[in-house]
Amino acid sequence: MLTLAALMLMQVVAPLPGPAAPAGDRALYADCVRAANEGVPGAIDAATRWLNASGGVPARHCLGLAYMGANRPADAARAFEDAARVAESKGDASAAELYGQAGNALLLAGQYARAEVVLNNALVLAAQQGKAKGELLIDRARAREAQGNSTGARADLEQAVTLAPNDAAGWLLLGALARREERLDDARPAIANALRLAPNDPDVQLEAGNMAAMDGDYAKARALWNAAVRAGRDTPAGKAADAALLRNPE
């Protein structure tokens, strides 16, 4: 599992293309996605050629993945959003998830206001009050908090953890927000849930250590920070944990 801070894009959005699609389209999509995910040189050009040859939603989606593989999230967001618009115009159920991927890419690009708009579109189209909608709410909470809207972020996260109670990211973000706002009675159970669900994730270990330090249990805090360093030494969480250990020696 990558750290919860790394926003992971789902690599296949069903039906892209569906079982009724020509075998050639399915093969093109599979090859294009594989090249995009592996960062194969020329993946962007190949996806663009397919799109220009009327590849439709699958080609647009694959182009977005190719841009992600090339670490160009802003371009990826445009391709995903383009795919979402086309899917929405056709009544394709994949539109909500495609808007969600566009929102994730915009978060990676630091375009938080635009990410919120796109994620709003995804939430309007999300058909069910379940895990998928909870994940979209978590993403919108990220966008809102990044813009200083902690009230909106908290509302999204409180709803998200009821819809996706086994998603550690929702509990982690909810607990971290509460801790920063010094609502410690709310922070403790949320962070405990995140640690229960993702005990080996360095982001969770870092935040649980921060919570323990605020409670004055520095032995527990150092143990958790050390675990975060071991789990992700080169990640932002691992580096923050290492800095916390230097500030709080035994």
Side-chain angles (χ1 to χ4, degrees):
M1 176 180 174
L2 293 181
T3 64
L4 294 175
L7 306 179
M8 295 297 291
L9 293 171
M10 296 183 69
Q11 295 180 345
V12 178
V13 181
L16 289 180
D25 282 357
R26 294 199 300 273
L28 272 171
Y29 183 68
D31 289 344
C32 187
V33 170
R34 186 180 310 109
N37 291 338
E38 293 174 1
V40 173
I44 293 171
D45 289 341
T48 301
R49 285 194 299 272
W50 184 24
L51 174 59
N52 291 338
S54 302
V57 173
R60 287 169 168 82
H61 180 243
C62 188
L63 179 60
L65 291 174
Y67 279 130
M68 287 301 301
N71 195 28
R72 293 169 58 180
D75 291 324
R78 282 190 287 274
F80 289 139
E81 191 173 358
D82 187 26
R85 289 195 194 98
V86 174
E88 185 179 7
S89 72
K90 296 177 180 294
D92 189 327
S94 67
E97 196 164 357
L98 286 163
Y99 276 124
Q101 290 196 11
N104 268 273
L106 287 163
L107 288 171
L108 284 172
Q111 297 181 23
Y112 303 117
R114 182 63 190 159
E116 182 176 359
V117 170
V118 170
L119 289 163
N120 286 342
N121 292 341
L123 284 160
V124 167
L125 293 174
Q128 298 180 352
Q129 296 282 332
K131 180 175 182 289
K133 190 160 190 175
E135 290 171 348
L136 289 171
L137 286 163
I138 291 170
D139 292 335
R140 190 172 69 177
R142 295 180 193 270
R144 286 179 163 180
E145 186 175 5
Q147 297 174 83
N149 181 5
S150 59
T151 300
R154 183 166 62 251
D156 278 352
L157 291 168
E158 287 173 349
Q159 186 180 357
V161 296
T162 67
L163 294 173
N166 293 321
D167 192 320
W171 290 109
L172 174 63
L173 293 171
L174 184 63
L177 178 60
R179 182 186 62 79
R180 288 194 296 274
E181 294 178 340
E182 298 186 356
R183 295 182 290 106
L184 302 188
D185 288 343
D186 293 328
R188 290 186 190 95
I191 294 169
N193 275 330
L195 190 61
R196 173 178 58 82
L197 291 166
N200 299 317
D201 187 283
D203 289 290
V204 175
Q205 292 163 333
L206 168 66
E207 188 56 42
N210 293 342
M211 186 70 254
M214 288 193 76
D215 285 337
D217 190 343
Y218 286 96
K220 180 180 180 181
R222 283 190 291 270
L224 287 160
W225 290 331
N226 273 308
V229 171
R230 289 194 300 271
R233 183 175 299 276
D234 295 327
T235 67
K239 292 175 182 177
D242 198 26
L245 287 165
L246 290 173
R247 292 193 304 269
N248 297 276
E250 294 186 35

Short mmCIF file of all heavy atoms in Angstrom, two decimals, residues 63-128:
data_model
loop_
_atom_site.label_atom_id
_atom_site.label_comp_id
_atom_site.label_asym_id
_atom_site.label_seq_id
_atom_site.Cartn_x
_atom_site.Cartn_y
_atom_site.Cartn_z
N LEU A 63 -5.33 8.52 -22.44
CA LEU A 63 -4.45 9.69 -22.56
C LEU A 63 -4.20 10.30 -21.18
O LEU A 63 -3.07 10.69 -20.86
CB LEU A 63 -5.09 10.71 -23.50
CG LEU A 63 -4.31 12.02 -23.71
CD1 LEU A 63 -2.93 11.75 -24.29
CD2 LEU A 63 -5.10 12.97 -24.61
N GLY A 64 -5.23 10.36 -20.36
CA GLY A 64 -5.05 10.87 -19.00
C GLY A 64 -4.07 10.03 -18.21
O GLY A 64 -3.19 10.55 -17.51
N LEU A 65 -4.19 8.71 -18.34
CA LEU A 65 -3.25 7.83 -17.64
C LEU A 65 -1.83 8.01 -18.15
O LEU A 65 -0.87 7.96 -17.39
CB LEU A 65 -3.69 6.37 -17.80
CG LEU A 65 -4.97 5.96 -17.06
CD1 LEU A 65 -5.35 4.53 -17.44
CD2 LEU A 65 -4.80 6.08 -15.55
N ALA A 66 -1.70 8.21 -19.46
CA ALA A 66 -0.36 8.43 -20.03
C ALA A 66 0.25 9.71 -19.48
O ALA A 66 1.45 9.75 -19.15
CB ALA A 66 -0.45 8.48 -21.55
N TYR A 67 -0.55 10.77 -19.36
CA TYR A 67 -0.04 12.00 -18.76
C TYR A 67 0.34 11.78 -17.29
O TYR A 67 1.34 12.33 -16.81
CB TYR A 67 -1.09 13.11 -18.86
CG TYR A 67 -1.15 13.80 -20.21
CD1 TYR A 67 -2.37 13.96 -20.88
CD2 TYR A 67 0.00 14.30 -20.81
CE1 TYR A 67 -2.44 14.61 -22.11
CE2 TYR A 67 -0.06 14.95 -22.04
CZ TYR A 67 -1.28 15.10 -22.68
OH TYR A 67 -1.33 15.74 -23.89
N MET A 68 -0.45 10.99 -16.57
CA MET A 68 -0.10 10.69 -15.19
C MET A 68 1.24 9.95 -15.12
O MET A 68 2.09 10.24 -14.28
CB MET A 68 -1.19 9.86 -14.52
CG MET A 68 -2.45 10.62 -14.20
SD MET A 68 -2.20 12.04 -13.10
CE MET A 68 -1.51 11.22 -11.66
N GLY A 69 1.42 8.99 -16.05
CA GLY A 69 2.69 8.25 -16.08
C GLY A 69 3.88 9.15 -16.37
O GLY A 69 5.00 8.84 -15.97
N ALA A 70 3.61 10.26 -17.06
CA ALA A 70 4.67 11.22 -17.36
C ALA A 70 4.75 12.33 -16.32
O ALA A 70 5.46 13.32 -16.53
CB ALA A 70 4.43 11.83 -18.75
N ASN A 71 4.04 12.19 -15.21
CA ASN A 71 4.04 13.18 -14.13
C ASN A 71 3.57 14.54 -14.62
O ASN A 71 4.15 15.57 -14.29
CB ASN A 71 5.43 13.28 -13.49
CG ASN A 71 5.39 14.00 -12.15
OD1 ASN A 71 4.37 13.98 -11.45
ND2 ASN A 71 6.48 14.65 -11.78
N ARG A 72 2.47 14.52 -15.38
CA ARG A 72 1.86 15.76 -15.87
C ARG A 72 0.39 15.79 -15.43
O ARG A 72 -0.53 15.62 -16.23
CB ARG A 72 1.98 15.84 -17.40
CG ARG A 72 3.43 15.99 -17.87
CD ARG A 72 3.59 15.81 -19.37
NE ARG A 72 2.79 16.75 -20.15
CZ ARG A 72 2.79 16.77 -21.49
NH1 ARG A 72 3.57 15.92 -22.17
NH2 ARG A 72 2.04 17.64 -22.14
N PRO A 73 0.15 15.96 -14.12
CA PRO A 73 -1.21 15.82 -13.61
C PRO A 73 -2.20 16.84 -14.14
O PRO A 73 -3.39 16.53 -14.30
CB PRO A 73 -1.04 15.93 -12.09
CG PRO A 73 0.24 16.67 -11.89
CD PRO A 73 1.11 16.24 -13.03
N ALA A 74 -1.75 18.07 -14.43
CA ALA A 74 -2.68 19.07 -14.96
C ALA A 74 -3.20 18.65 -16.33
O ALA A 74 -4.40 18.78 -16.63
CB ALA A 74 -2.01 20.44 -15.03
N ASP A 75 -2.30 18.12 -17.18
CA ASP A 75 -2.72 17.62 -18.49
C ASP A 75 -3.61 16.39 -18.33
O ASP A 75 -4.59 16.21 -19.06
CB ASP A 75 -1.50 17.28 -19.35
CG ASP A 75 -0.72 18.52 -19.76
OD1 ASP A 75 -1.35 19.56 -20.02
OD2 ASP A 75 0.52 18.44 -19.82
N ALA A 76 -3.25 15.54 -17.37
CA ALA A 76 -4.07 14.35 -17.12
C ALA A 76 -5.48 14.75 -16.72
O ALA A 76 -6.47 14.15 -17.17
CB ALA A 76 -3.43 13.50 -16.03
N ALA A 77 -5.59 15.77 -15.88
CA ALA A 77 -6.90 16.22 -15.43
C ALA A 77 -7.77 16.66 -16.60
O ALA A 77 -8.97 16.35 -16.65
CB ALA A 77 -6.76 17.35 -14.42
N ARG A 78 -7.15 17.38 -17.54
CA ARG A 78 -7.92 17.82 -18.71
C ARG A 78 -8.43 16.63 -19.52
O ARG A 78 -9.58 16.63 -19.98
CB ARG A 78 -7.07 18.75 -19.58
CG ARG A 78 -6.96 20.17 -19.03
CD ARG A 78 -6.32 21.11 -20.02
NE ARG A 78 -4.89 20.87 -20.14
CZ ARG A 78 -3.97 21.43 -19.35
NH1 ARG A 78 -4.34 22.24 -18.39
NH2 ARG A 78 -2.69 21.17 -19.53
N ALA A 79 -7.58 15.61 -19.68
CA ALA A 79 -7.99 14.44 -20.44
C ALA A 79 -9.09 13.67 -19.71
O ALA A 79 -10.08 13.24 -20.32
CB ALA A 79 -6.79 13.53 -20.68
N PHE A 80 -8.94 13.50 -18.40
CA PHE A 80 -9.97 12.79 -17.63
C PHE A 80 -11.30 13.55 -17.65
O PHE A 80 -12.37 12.95 -17.79
CB PHE A 80 -9.52 12.60 -16.17
CG PHE A 80 -8.42 11.61 -15.98
CD1 PHE A 80 -7.38 11.87 -15.09
CD2 PHE A 80 -8.40 10.40 -16.65
CE1 PHE A 80 -6.36 10.96 -14.89
CE2 PHE A 80 -7.38 9.47 -16.46
CZ PHE A 80 -6.36 9.76 -15.58
N GLU A 81 -11.22 14.87 -17.51
CA GLU A 81 -12.45 15.66 -17.51
C GLU A 81 -13.11 15.64 -18.88
O GLU A 81 -14.35 15.59 -18.98
CB GLU A 81 -12.17 17.10 -17.07
CG GLU A 81 -13.43 17.89 -16.79
CD GLU A 81 -13.17 19.27 -16.20
OE1 GLU A 81 -11.99 19.61 -15.98
OE2 GLU A 81 -14.15 19.99 -15.97
N ASP A 82 -12.31 15.67 -19.93
CA ASP A 82 -12.85 15.55 -21.28
C ASP A 82 -13.56 14.21 -21.43
O ASP A 82 -14.67 14.13 -21.97
CB ASP A 82 -11.70 15.67 -22.28
CG ASP A 82 -12.17 15.73 -23.73
OD1 ASP A 82 -13.32 16.15 -23.97
OD2 ASP A 82 -11.39 15.35 -24.63
N ALA A 83 -12.93 13.15 -20.94
CA ALA A 83 -13.56 11.82 -20.99
C ALA A 83 -14.86 11.81 -20.21
O ALA A 83 -15.87 11.22 -20.64
CB ALA A 83 -12.60 10.77 -20.45
N ALA A 84 -14.87 12.46 -19.06
CA ALA A 84 -16.06 12.49 -18.22
C ALA A 84 -17.21 13.20 -18.92
O ALA A 84 -18.36 12.76 -18.87
CB ALA A 84 -15.75 13.16 -16.88
N ARG A 85 -16.90 14.33 -19.57
CA ARG A 85 -17.95 15.08 -20.26
C ARG A 85 -18.57 14.25 -21.38
O ARG A 85 -19.79 14.23 -21.56
CB ARG A 85 -17.39 16.37 -20.83
CG ARG A 85 -17.04 17.44 -19.80
CD ARG A 85 -16.86 18.79 -20.50
NE ARG A 85 -16.21 19.76 -19.61
CZ ARG A 85 -14.92 20.05 -19.63
NH1 ARG A 85 -14.12 19.44 -20.48
NH2 ARG A 85 -14.42 20.94 -18.81
N VAL A 86 -17.71 13.58 -22.15
CA VAL A 86 -18.22 12.74 -23.24
C VAL A 86 -19.06 11.60 -22.67
O VAL A 86 -20.15 11.29 -23.18
CB VAL A 86 -17.07 12.21 -24.11
CG1 VAL A 86 -17.59 11.23 -25.15
CG2 VAL A 86 -16.34 13.37 -24.78
N ALA A 87 -18.55 10.96 -21.61
CA ALA A 87 -19.30 9.87 -20.99
C ALA A 87 -20.65 10.35 -20.46
O ALA A 87 -21.69 9.69 -20.64
CB ALA A 87 -18.48 9.25 -19.86
N GLU A 88 -20.65 11.54 -19.84
CA GLU A 88 -21.90 12.08 -19.30
C GLU A 88 -22.90 12.35 -20.42
O GLU A 88 -24.10 12.08 -20.28
CB GLU A 88 -21.60 13.37 -18.53
CG GLU A 88 -22.82 13.96 -17.83
CD GLU A 88 -22.49 15.22 -17.06
OE1 GLU A 88 -21.35 15.73 -17.17
OE2 GLU A 88 -23.39 15.72 -16.36
N SER A 89 -22.42 12.87 -21.54
CA SER A 89 -23.32 13.17 -22.66
C SER A 89 -23.95 11.91 -23.24
O SER A 89 -25.03 11.97 -23.83
CB SER A 89 -22.56 13.92 -23.76
OG SER A 89 -21.66 13.06 -24.45
N LYS A 90 -23.28 10.77 -23.05
CA LYS A 90 -23.78 9.50 -23.56
C LYS A 90 -24.55 8.71 -22.51
O LYS A 90 -24.98 7.58 -22.78
CB LYS A 90 -22.61 8.65 -24.08
CG LYS A 90 -21.87 9.25 -25.27
CD LYS A 90 -20.69 8.39 -25.66
CE LYS A 90 -19.93 8.96 -26.85
NZ LYS A 90 -20.74 8.97 -28.07
N GLY A 91 -24.68 9.29 -21.30
CA GLY A 91 -25.33 8.56 -20.23
C GLY A 91 -24.51 7.40 -19.71
O GLY A 91 -25.05 6.45 -19.13
N ASP A 92 -23.20 7.45 -19.89
CA ASP A 92 -22.29 6.39 -19.47
C ASP A 92 -22.06 6.48 -17.97
O ASP A 92 -21.70 7.55 -17.43
CB ASP A 92 -20.96 6.55 -20.22
CG ASP A 92 -20.01 5.38 -20.04
OD1 ASP A 92 -20.01 4.78 -18.96
OD2 ASP A 92 -19.26 5.09 -20.98
N ALA A 93 -22.25 5.37 -17.27
CA ALA A 93 -22.13 5.37 -15.81
C ALA A 93 -20.72 5.64 -15.32
O ALA A 93 -20.53 5.92 -14.13
CB ALA A 93 -22.61 4.02 -15.26
N SER A 94 -19.73 5.58 -16.22
CA SER A 94 -18.36 5.83 -15.79
C SER A 94 -18.07 7.31 -15.59
O SER A 94 -17.00 7.67 -15.09
CB SER A 94 -17.37 5.27 -16.82
OG SER A 94 -17.46 5.99 -18.04
N ALA A 95 -19.02 8.20 -15.95
CA ALA A 95 -18.74 9.64 -15.89
C ALA A 95 -18.36 10.10 -14.48
O ALA A 95 -17.43 10.90 -14.31
CB ALA A 95 -19.95 10.42 -16.39
N ALA A 96 -19.07 9.62 -13.45
CA ALA A 96 -18.78 10.06 -12.09
C ALA A 96 -17.36 9.70 -11.69
O ALA A 96 -16.63 10.52 -11.12
CB ALA A 96 -19.78 9.44 -11.11
N GLU A 97 -16.95 8.48 -12.01
CA GLU A 97 -15.60 8.06 -11.62
C GLU A 97 -14.54 8.81 -12.42
O GLU A 97 -13.46 9.14 -11.90
CB GLU A 97 -15.44 6.55 -11.80
CG GLU A 97 -14.24 6.00 -11.08
CD GLU A 97 -14.30 4.50 -10.92
OE1 GLU A 97 -15.29 3.88 -11.32
OE2 GLU A 97 -13.33 3.95 -10.37
N LEU A 98 -14.84 9.11 -13.67
CA LEU A 98 -13.89 9.88 -14.47
C LEU A 98 -13.74 11.30 -13.93
O LEU A 98 -12.62 11.83 -13.86
CB LEU A 98 -14.35 9.91 -15.92
CG LEU A 98 -14.15 8.59 -16.69
CD1 LEU A 98 -14.99 8.58 -17.96
CD2 LEU A 98 -12.68 8.39 -17.02
N TYR A 99 -14.84 11.93 -13.53
CA TYR A 99 -14.74 13.24 -12.88
C TYR A 99 -13.91 13.11 -11.59
O TYR A 99 -13.13 14.01 -11.25
CB TYR A 99 -16.12 13.79 -12.55
CG TYR A 99 -16.81 14.51 -13.69
CD1 TYR A 99 -18.08 14.11 -14.12
CD2 TYR A 99 -16.22 15.59 -14.33
CE1 TYR A 99 -18.73 14.77 -15.16
CE2 TYR A 99 -16.86 16.25 -15.38
CZ TYR A 99 -18.12 15.83 -15.78
OH TYR A 99 -18.76 16.48 -16.82
N GLY A 100 -14.10 12.00 -10.88
CA GLY A 100 -13.33 11.79 -9.67
C GLY A 100 -11.84 11.70 -9.95
O GLY A 100 -11.02 12.25 -9.21
N GLN A 101 -11.47 11.01 -11.03
CA GLN A 101 -10.06 10.92 -11.39
C GLN A 101 -9.52 12.28 -11.81
O GLN A 101 -8.38 12.63 -11.49
CB GLN A 101 -9.88 9.90 -12.51
CG GLN A 101 -10.12 8.47 -12.04
CD GLN A 101 -9.58 7.45 -13.02
OE1 GLN A 101 -8.85 7.77 -13.95
NE2 GLN A 101 -9.95 6.21 -12.81
N ALA A 102 -10.33 13.05 -12.51
CA ALA A 102 -9.91 14.40 -12.86
C ALA A 102 -9.66 15.23 -11.60
O ALA A 102 -8.68 15.98 -11.51
CB ALA A 102 -10.97 15.07 -13.74
N GLY A 103 -10.54 15.09 -10.62
CA GLY A 103 -10.37 15.81 -9.36
C GLY A 103 -9.10 15.41 -8.65
O GLY A 103 -8.36 16.26 -8.12
N ASN A 104 -8.79 14.11 -8.63
CA ASN A 104 -7.55 13.64 -8.01
C ASN A 104 -6.34 14.23 -8.71
O ASN A 104 -5.37 14.66 -8.06
CB ASN A 104 -7.49 12.12 -8.08
CG ASN A 104 -8.08 11.46 -6.86
OD1 ASN A 104 -7.39 11.25 -5.88
ND2 ASN A 104 -9.36 11.14 -6.92
N ALA A 105 -6.37 14.24 -10.04
CA ALA A 105 -5.23 14.80 -10.78
C ALA A 105 -5.07 16.29 -10.49
O ALA A 105 -3.95 16.79 -10.37
CB ALA A 105 -5.43 14.55 -12.27
N LEU A 106 -6.18 17.01 -10.37
CA LEU A 106 -6.11 18.43 -10.06
C LEU A 106 -5.55 18.65 -8.65
O LEU A 106 -4.82 19.63 -8.42
CB LEU A 106 -7.50 19.06 -10.19
CG LEU A 106 -7.98 19.23 -11.64
CD1 LEU A 106 -9.48 19.45 -11.68
CD2 LEU A 106 -7.26 20.39 -12.33
N LEU A 107 -5.88 17.79 -7.72
CA LEU A 107 -5.28 17.88 -6.39
C LEU A 107 -3.77 17.73 -6.48
O LEU A 107 -3.01 18.47 -5.85
CB LEU A 107 -5.87 16.82 -5.47
CG LEU A 107 -7.31 17.03 -5.00
CD1 LEU A 107 -7.83 15.79 -4.28
CD2 LEU A 107 -7.43 18.25 -4.09
N LEU A 108 -3.33 16.75 -7.26
CA LEU A 108 -1.89 16.56 -7.44
C LEU A 108 -1.24 17.77 -8.09
O LEU A 108 -0.09 18.10 -7.80
CB LEU A 108 -1.63 15.32 -8.29
CG LEU A 108 -1.81 13.97 -7.60
CD1 LEU A 108 -1.72 12.84 -8.62
CD2 LEU A 108 -0.77 13.77 -6.51
N ALA A 109 -1.99 18.43 -8.97
CA ALA A 109 -1.45 19.61 -9.65
C ALA A 109 -1.54 20.87 -8.80
O ALA A 109 -1.06 21.93 -9.21
CB ALA A 109 -2.21 19.83 -10.97
N GLY A 110 -2.16 20.77 -7.62
CA GLY A 110 -2.29 21.93 -6.75
C GLY A 110 -3.38 22.89 -7.17
O GLY A 110 -3.43 24.03 -6.68
N GLN A 111 -4.30 22.45 -8.04
CA GLN A 111 -5.39 23.31 -8.51
C GLN A 111 -6.65 22.99 -7.68
O GLN A 111 -7.58 22.34 -8.14
CB GLN A 111 -5.62 23.08 -10.00
CG GLN A 111 -4.42 23.47 -10.85
CD GLN A 111 -4.67 23.27 -12.34
OE1 GLN A 111 -5.80 23.24 -12.80
NE2 GLN A 111 -3.59 23.11 -13.10
N TYR A 112 -6.65 23.48 -6.45
CA TYR A 112 -7.64 23.03 -5.48
C TYR A 112 -9.05 23.55 -5.76
O TYR A 112 -10.03 22.82 -5.59
CB TYR A 112 -7.19 23.43 -4.07
CG TYR A 112 -5.83 22.89 -3.73
CD1 TYR A 112 -4.76 23.75 -3.47
CD2 TYR A 112 -5.60 21.52 -3.70
CE1 TYR A 112 -3.50 23.25 -3.18
CE2 TYR A 112 -4.34 21.02 -3.41
CZ TYR A 112 -3.29 21.89 -3.15
OH TYR A 112 -2.05 21.39 -2.87
N ALA A 113 -9.16 24.78 -6.19
CA ALA A 113 -10.49 25.32 -6.48
C ALA A 113 -11.13 24.56 -7.64
O ALA A 113 -12.31 24.21 -7.60
CB ALA A 113 -10.41 26.81 -6.78
N ARG A 114 -10.34 24.33 -8.68
CA ARG A 114 -10.87 23.58 -9.83
C ARG A 114 -11.18 22.15 -9.43
O ARG A 114 -12.18 21.57 -9.88
CB ARG A 114 -9.84 23.61 -10.97
CG ARG A 114 -10.30 22.91 -12.24
CD ARG A 114 -11.51 23.58 -12.84
NE ARG A 114 -12.09 22.78 -13.90
CZ ARG A 114 -13.33 22.90 -14.34
NH1 ARG A 114 -14.15 23.79 -13.80
NH2 ARG A 114 -13.77 22.14 -15.32
N ALA A 115 -10.36 21.56 -8.57
CA ALA A 115 -10.61 20.20 -8.11
C ALA A 115 -11.95 20.12 -7.41
O ALA A 115 -12.72 19.16 -7.62
CB ALA A 115 -9.49 19.75 -7.17
N GLU A 116 -12.27 21.11 -6.58
CA GLU A 116 -13.55 21.09 -5.88
C GLU A 116 -14.72 21.13 -6.87
O GLU A 116 -15.70 20.40 -6.71
CB GLU A 116 -13.65 22.25 -4.90
CG GLU A 116 -14.96 22.24 -4.11
CD GLU A 116 -15.04 23.32 -3.05
OE1 GLU A 116 -14.07 24.08 -2.90
OE2 GLU A 116 -16.09 23.40 -2.37
N VAL A 117 -14.60 21.96 -7.90
CA VAL A 117 -15.67 22.06 -8.90
C VAL A 117 -15.88 20.71 -9.60
O VAL A 117 -17.01 20.23 -9.76
CB VAL A 117 -15.34 23.15 -9.94
CG1 VAL A 117 -16.32 23.10 -11.11
CG2 VAL A 117 -15.37 24.53 -9.29
N VAL A 118 -14.79 20.09 -10.00
CA VAL A 118 -14.88 18.83 -10.73
C VAL A 118 -15.41 17.72 -9.82
O VAL A 118 -16.22 16.89 -10.23
CB VAL A 118 -13.50 18.46 -11.31
CG1 VAL A 118 -13.50 17.05 -11.87
CG2 VAL A 118 -13.11 19.45 -12.40
N LEU A 119 -14.99 17.72 -8.57
CA LEU A 119 -15.48 16.71 -7.63
C LEU A 119 -16.95 16.94 -7.30
O LEU A 119 -17.69 15.98 -7.04
CB LEU A 119 -14.62 16.71 -6.37
CG LEU A 119 -13.21 16.14 -6.60
CD1 LEU A 119 -12.27 16.53 -5.46
CD2 LEU A 119 -13.27 14.62 -6.76
N ASN A 120 -17.40 18.19 -7.33
CA ASN A 120 -18.83 18.45 -7.20
C ASN A 120 -19.60 17.75 -8.31
O ASN A 120 -20.66 17.14 -8.07
CB ASN A 120 -19.12 19.95 -7.26
CG ASN A 120 -18.71 20.69 -6.00
OD1 ASN A 120 -18.52 20.10 -4.95
ND2 ASN A 120 -18.56 22.00 -6.11
N ASN A 121 -19.08 17.83 -9.54
CA ASN A 121 -19.72 17.15 -10.66
C ASN A 121 -19.79 15.64 -10.42
O ASN A 121 -20.81 15.00 -10.70
CB ASN A 121 -18.95 17.41 -11.96
CG ASN A 121 -19.03 18.85 -12.42
OD1 ASN A 121 -19.92 19.59 -12.01
ND2 ASN A 121 -18.11 19.27 -13.27
N ALA A 122 -18.68 15.09 -9.92
CA ALA A 122 -18.65 13.66 -9.65
C ALA A 122 -19.70 13.27 -8.61
O ALA A 122 -20.40 12.26 -8.76
CB ALA A 122 -17.26 13.25 -9.17
N LEU A 123 -19.82 14.08 -7.57
CA LEU A 123 -20.77 13.76 -6.50
C LEU A 123 -22.21 13.87 -6.96
O LEU A 123 -23.08 13.09 -6.53
CB LEU A 123 -20.51 14.67 -5.30
CG LEU A 123 -19.28 14.28 -4.48
CD1 LEU A 123 -18.79 15.44 -3.63
CD2 LEU A 123 -19.58 13.07 -3.61
N VAL A 124 -22.49 14.82 -7.86
CA VAL A 124 -23.85 14.94 -8.41
C VAL A 124 -24.22 13.68 -9.18
O VAL A 124 -25.36 13.20 -9.11
CB VAL A 124 -23.94 16.18 -9.33
CG1 VAL A 124 -25.23 16.15 -10.14
CG2 VAL A 124 -23.89 17.45 -8.49
N LEU A 125 -23.24 13.10 -9.88
CA LEU A 125 -23.52 11.94 -10.72
C LEU A 125 -23.39 10.62 -9.97
O LEU A 125 -23.83 9.58 -10.47
CB LEU A 125 -22.55 11.92 -11.91
CG LEU A 125 -22.73 13.05 -12.92
CD1 LEU A 125 -21.63 12.99 -13.96
CD2 LEU A 125 -24.09 12.98 -13.59
N ALA A 126 -22.75 10.64 -8.80
CA ALA A 126 -22.56 9.40 -8.04
C ALA A 126 -23.92 8.81 -7.69
O ALA A 126 -24.74 9.45 -7.04
CB ALA A 126 -21.74 9.66 -6.80
N ALA A 127 -24.14 7.59 -8.12
CA ALA A 127 -25.49 7.01 -8.05
C ALA A 127 -25.83 6.47 -6.67
O ALA A 127 -26.99 6.43 -6.29
CB ALA A 127 -25.63 5.91 -9.09
N GLN A 128 -24.85 6.04 -5.93
CA GLN A 128 -25.15 5.32 -4.70
C GLN A 128 -24.50 5.99 -3.49
O GLN A 128 -23.44 6.59 -3.59
CB GLN A 128 -24.66 3.87 -4.81
CG GLN A 128 -25.35 3.08 -5.92
CD GLN A 128 -24.84 1.66 -6.00
OE1 GLN A 128 -23.89 1.29 -5.33
NE2 GLN A 128 -25.48 0.87 -6.82
#
